[in-house]
């Protein structure tokens, strides 16, 4: 005889109370009321649990039983199917897009400088994880990734959108390789077919004629001292902004006037030796009074254990009135232009900029003789900048030895 809700509410006798078709309520001596379905599959008797009463009502239990019977009619074991579904949930929980992305980041960490790792992680946290990070990686459609990337593009960050798309595609390739998913649904997403064409423009670089005005503004800029000194060292050394922002005290030998940037912090993954002018050494000795007890030469004023942020330099330039006319990276172009116009050895200039020499013999020469040449070049450059503060121009009529 089928059960009723009134019977279920008033049950007191422990045991199995059947509703029909194998469905019953098991009332334990402790008072627990458990729904069970008894069925046979492959010649064996099996049980399915449907939860407890009254959390699972009589109607809900019957619906679950009917669904299980339908599965049986289709020739499948409802118990095995449930286990598979639970396993799938566990698997997908461990393989969300964010979880897989972080596994990929961890795998790549040894290949990247810390600053590169942090920049890539930050872009994923900002543009991918909020909407898609909690989703199983296998269940995300290409159109959803495309929509996320186009959202980045829509805010005027077309270059960033391109990078984010390439990073997501790399994550999916890695996921296939490491058997986190069976196939790569993002393989056909091509930047050129998703993002609008964009004009590639070179980073704005300060003109030599603008140097007096810029140096005067820098001398009176009231921003964070770490930022001001870092900008000055950036100009004095012609290094990349990331190399300067991430400078560690352990990399400097001030007595030898030498800065050795390790390979892992360089774009080309090759150690770079930077000769320091007397002005650069003096600046660093000043910084020792501010950050000498820390690992970083130019720590962030907000998070001292981290370097100045990626946007710090360009924000300072904008605050000084040079937005659109100067960028931190552009100081390298200024140095190259002026040094070449003043007839310095082009090979020494290129080596100072840490541009890779593909010829093996010339590359070996770069690592030796050019260091002496570059020491002279960088002292000349520091003196040149000092002269430009008052409008003077220190020219050279003959190429340096």
């Amino acid at each position: 005889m089928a059960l009723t809700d009134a019977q279920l509410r008033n049950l007191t006798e422990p045991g199995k109370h059947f509703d029909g078709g194998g469905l019953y309520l098991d009332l334990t001596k402790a008072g627990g009321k458990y729904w069970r379905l008894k069925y046979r599959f492959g010649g064996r008797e099996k049980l399915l649990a449907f939860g407890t009463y009254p959390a699972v009502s009589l109607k809900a239990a019957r619906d679950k039983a009917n669904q299980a019977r339908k599965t049986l009619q289709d020739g499948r074991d409802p118990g095995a199917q449930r286990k598979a579904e639970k396993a799938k949930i566990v698997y997908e929980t461990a393989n969300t897009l964010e979880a897989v992305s972080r596994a990929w980041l961890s795998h790549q960490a040894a290949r990247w400088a810390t600053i590169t790792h942090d920049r890539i992680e930050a872009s994923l946290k900002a543009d991918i994880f909020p909407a898609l990070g909690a989703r199983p990686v296998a269940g995300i459609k290409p159109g959803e990734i495309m929509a996320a990337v186009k959202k980045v593009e829509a805010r005027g960050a077309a270059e960033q959108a391109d990078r984010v798309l390439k990073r997501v595609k790399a994550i999916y390739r890695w996921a296939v390789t490491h058997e986190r998913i069976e196939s790569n649904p993002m393989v056909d997403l091509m930047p050129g077919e998703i993002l609008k064409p964009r004009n590639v423009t070179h980073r704005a670089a300060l003109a030599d004629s603008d140097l007096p005005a810029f140096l005067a503004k820098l001398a009176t800029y009231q921003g964070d001292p770490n930022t001001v000194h870092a900008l000055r060292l950036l100009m004095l050394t012609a290094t990349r902004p990331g190399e300067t922002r991430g400078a560690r005290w352990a990399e400097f030998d001030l007595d030898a006037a030498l800065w050795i940037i390790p390979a892992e912090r360089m774009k080309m993954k090759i150690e770079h030796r930077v000769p320091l002018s007397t002005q650069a050494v003096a600046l660093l000795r000043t910084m020792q009074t501010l950050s000498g007890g820390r690992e970083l030469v130019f720590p962030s004023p907000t998070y001292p254990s981290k370097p100045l942020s990626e946007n710090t330099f360009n924000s300072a330039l904008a605050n000084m009135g040079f937005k659109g006319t100067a960028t931190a990276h552009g100081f390298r172009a200024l140095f190259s232009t002026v040094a070449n116009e003043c007839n310095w050895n082009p090979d020494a200039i290129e080596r100072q900029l840490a541009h890779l020499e593909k010829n093996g013999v010339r590359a070996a020469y770069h690592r030796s003789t050019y260091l002496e040449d570059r020491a002279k070049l960088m002292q000349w450059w520091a003196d040149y900048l000092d002269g430009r503060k008052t409008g003077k121009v220190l020219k050279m009529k003959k190429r340096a030895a």
Side-chain angles (χ1 to χ4, degrees):
M1 184 176 178
L3 296 170
T4 66
D5 280 314
Q7 285 178 302
L8 292 173
R9 287 194 297 269
N10 297 306
L11 280 179
T12 57
E13 183 181 350
K16 300 175 182 178
H17 301 269
F18 286 89
D19 184 61
L23 178 66
Y24 65 91
L25 186 83
D26 187 8
L27 177 59
T28 68
K29 292 180 179 180
K33 298 178 179 180
Y34 299 91
W35 287 113
R36 301 283 188 261
L37 177 69
K38 184 167 62 173
Y39 70 99
R40 296 187 70 84
F41 186 84
R44 297 177 59 190
E45 186 175 285
K46 297 187 175 186
L47 284 179
L48 267 183
F50 292 151
T52 61
Y53 180 86
V56 176
S57 68
L58 175 59
K59 182 180 183 305
R62 286 171 176 169
D63 289 342
K64 290 175 181 287
N66 288 333
Q67 185 61 49
R69 293 183 193 111
K70 183 178 178 182
T71 300
L72 279 169
Q73 290 173 0
D74 292 337
R76 292 175 289 132
D77 181 355
Q81 179 174 302
R82 176 181 289 187
K83 288 180 181 179
E85 289 173 351
K86 287 182 177 179
K88 182 181 179 183
I89 292 172
V90 171
Y91 180 81
E92 290 182 344
T93 300
N95 285 279
T96 62
L97 179 55
E98 181 170 353
V100 173
S101 297
R102 292 195 180 282
W104 172 73
L105 285 165
S106 178
H107 180 83
Q108 298 293 95
R111 295 179 174 84
W112 296 333
T114 301
I115 190 172
T116 300
H117 174 279
D118 292 348
R119 183 170 63 246
I120 293 173
E121 181 184 30
S123 73
L124 294 171
K125 288 172 68 175
D127 300 318
I128 296 297
F129 293 168
L132 300 171
R135 296 268 304 280
V137 68
I140 297 174
K141 305 297 183 185
E144 294 177 286
I145 295 297
M146 185 169 67
V149 170
K150 289 183 74 66
K151 186 176 180 180
V152 178
E153 180 188 41
R155 69 170 187 252
E159 188 173 352
Q160 176 73 351
D162 182 85
R163 291 195 188 109
V164 168
L165 176 58
K166 289 175 180 176
R167 288 163 188 168
V168 171
K169 292 186 67 174
I171 290 166
Y172 271 84
R173 285 197 303 272
W174 182 89
V176 172
T177 300
H178 292 270
E179 299 183 345
R180 308 294 281 268
I181 52 175
E182 293 183 359
S183 61
N184 183 356
M186 308 304 165
V187 68
D188 291 328
L189 289 182
M190 305 303 293
E193 296 173 356
I194 297 172
L195 304 173
K196 298 175 184 177
R198 69 181 191 276
N199 295 322
V200 179
T201 56
H202 295 288
R203 297 179 178 91
L206 203 67
D208 180 56
S209 58
D210 294 326
L211 264 177
F214 172 76
L215 293 170
K217 285 285 186 68
L218 183 61
T220 58
Y221 182 57
Q222 297 299 308
D224 175 65
N226 289 354
T227 302
V228 174
H229 289 312
L231 271 172
R232 287 173 176 155
L233 187 68
L234 181 73
M235 295 187 72
L236 288 168
T237 58
T239 48
R240 296 181 178 89
E243 294 157 10
T244 299
R245 289 187 299 102
R248 270 71 172 168
W249 282 114
E251 298 169 358
F252 291 92
D253 184 342
L254 297 185
D255 292 332
L258 186 65
W259 177 13
I260 302 176
I261 308 176
E264 61 268 21
R265 288 214 311 111
M266 294 298 299
K267 179 179 180 180
M268 306 307 295
K269 303 305 178 187
I270 298 174
E271 178 186 278
H272 185 41
R273 294 177 173 250
V274 183
L276 300 171
S277 62
T278 55
Q279 290 92 328
V281 171
L283 182 152
L284 287 162
R285 292 199 185 281
T286 298
M287 278 305 303
Q288 281 183 323
T289 64
L290 300 175
S291 65
R294 299 184 178 278
E295 177 190 10
L296 294 164
V297 179
F298 304 109
S300 163
T302 308
Y303 304 102
S305 62
K306 295 184 178 182
L308 294 171
S309 71
E310 190 174 0
N311 297 322
T312 298
F313 287 154
N314 288 337
S315 294
L317 293 174
N319 290 337
M320 284 186 276
F322 291 90
K323 183 177 182 179
T325 59
T327 62
H329 200 279
F331 289 127
R332 288 164 56 81
L334 172 64
F335 161 75
S336 178
T337 298
V338 175
N340 275 292
E341 287 179 352
C342 291
N343 294 321
W344 280 90
N345 185 340
D347 288 332
I349 295 170
E350 289 300 292
R351 184 60 186 140
Q352 182 60 31
L353 292 168
H355 288 163
L356 187 62
E357 172 57 61
K358 296 181 179 179
N359 182 291
V361 175
R362 287 169 61 83
Y365 187 70
H366 280 185
R367 296 169 69 90
S368 54
T369 308
Y370 287 160
L371 185 62
E372 183 178 344
D373 294 345
R374 290 190 292 119
K376 296 175 182 176
L377 168 62
M378 299 318 292
Q379 186 57 57
W380 171 85
W381 174 240
D383 294 340
Y384 182 91
L385 292 174
D386 281 348
R388 295 302 278 140
K389 291 177 184 177
T390 57
K392 295 180 181 178
V393 179
L394 181 61
K395 294 288 186 182
M396 295 179 61
K397 294 182 180 180
K398 295 182 180 180
R399 174 168 291 181

